[in-house]
Amino acid sequence: MVKKQTAGRDKLGDFAPKFAELNDDVLFGQVWSRESELPAQQRSLITISALISAGNFEQLPAHLKIGKENGITKDEIAEVITHLSFYVGWPKAWSAFNLAKDIFND
């Protein structure tokens, strides 16, 4: 089961309370908890791939950590990023690798 997310409230609760609620309760609560439809590890791989594809590297470290907690291995993340490099761009892959190696080399 996915652990309770509080990042929205922690970081934006005072500034954007509705956004924080939707982030924590809907996205990370209702959507991520649908593990019988799609396991958390697969959701993490999809999310990480989407973030890399869109160049959203600010959110990537948090999702790489979540992915590691959800069972993604160093070899799997390296393969995903390598595969993506041909579809989304070499510079995005380099950026993703620089973030992933810090998290998966712990």
Side-chain angles (χ1 to χ4, degrees), residues 26-96:
V26 178
L27 175 58
F28 284 98
Q30 295 173 22
V31 175
W32 275 83
S33 68
R34 297 170 45 86
E35 291 189 36
S36 61
E37 290 78 14
L38 190 65
Q41 182 182 23
Q42 290 179 4
R43 285 185 192 275
S44 285
L45 286 171
I46 292 165
T47 302
I48 290 165
S49 296
L51 292 172
I52 293 169
S53 297
N56 294 321
F57 296 107
E58 185 176 344
Q59 291 79 27
L60 190 56
H63 280 281
L64 288 167
K65 289 175 189 170
I66 292 168
K68 187 176 179 182
E69 291 169 6
N70 287 336
I72 296 173
T73 67
K74 179 176 131 181
D75 290 341
E76 288 171 328
I77 201 62
E79 187 64 25
V80 166
I81 297 169
T82 299
H83 186 79
L84 283 172
S85 69
F86 290 93
Y87 292 93
V88 305
W90 210 256
K92 287 180 181 175
W94 268 103
S95 296

Side-chain angles (χ1 to χ4, degrees), residues 2 5 37 105:
V2 177
Q5 180 65 256
E37 290 78 14
N105 279 337

